[in-house]
Amino acid sequence: MLSASTMNLALKALIGALMVLLIGVLSRTRNYYIAGLLPLFPTFALMAHYIVGSERGVADLKATIVFGVWAMAPYLAYLISLYWLVDRLPLVPALLVALIVWCGVAAAAVLLWQRH
């Protein structure tokens, strides 16, 4: 019999796989742009907030929520850079450079948060 932690991990993997499948299906429809909304569905945020809230308490949950607001900056930087790059580079290099931008802004957000 599987342990509770193994079942929990399997459920998270299943949810992630379903999201990827749904993104793939939606990208082939007339409303393909909705595929860009799905990564923003708070699937993993719900899990993180539940885990932090149940294991660490309300104060740490609130800090996690505030940091989540900071965490929007890397995604916004990724989207803006990718929008600009897709006219200038082939798709895969544009995605890679936008990912590097995301990493840089995410690292800056973490460093700034740790100083606060």
Side-chain angles (χ1 to χ4, degrees), residues 8-68:
N8 192 7
L9 187 60
L11 178 62
K12 291 172 186 172
L14 178 63
I15 291 169
L18 288 173
M19 290 298 283
V20 170
L21 180 64
L22 192 54
I23 289 168
V25 168
L26 280 172
S27 70
R28 292 176 177 85
T29 69
R30 181 176 72 129
N31 299 315
Y32 60 88
Y33 51 87
I34 296 173
L37 180 62
L38 285 181
L40 300 176
F41 184 80
T43 306
F44 300 108
L46 285 167
M47 289 181 220
H49 295 149
Y50 176 79
I51 292 166
V52 172
S54 63
E55 294 180 5
R56 299 200 50 112
V58 174
D60 287 345
L61 174 59
K62 289 176 84 173
T64 302
I65 293 166
V66 172
F67 183 75

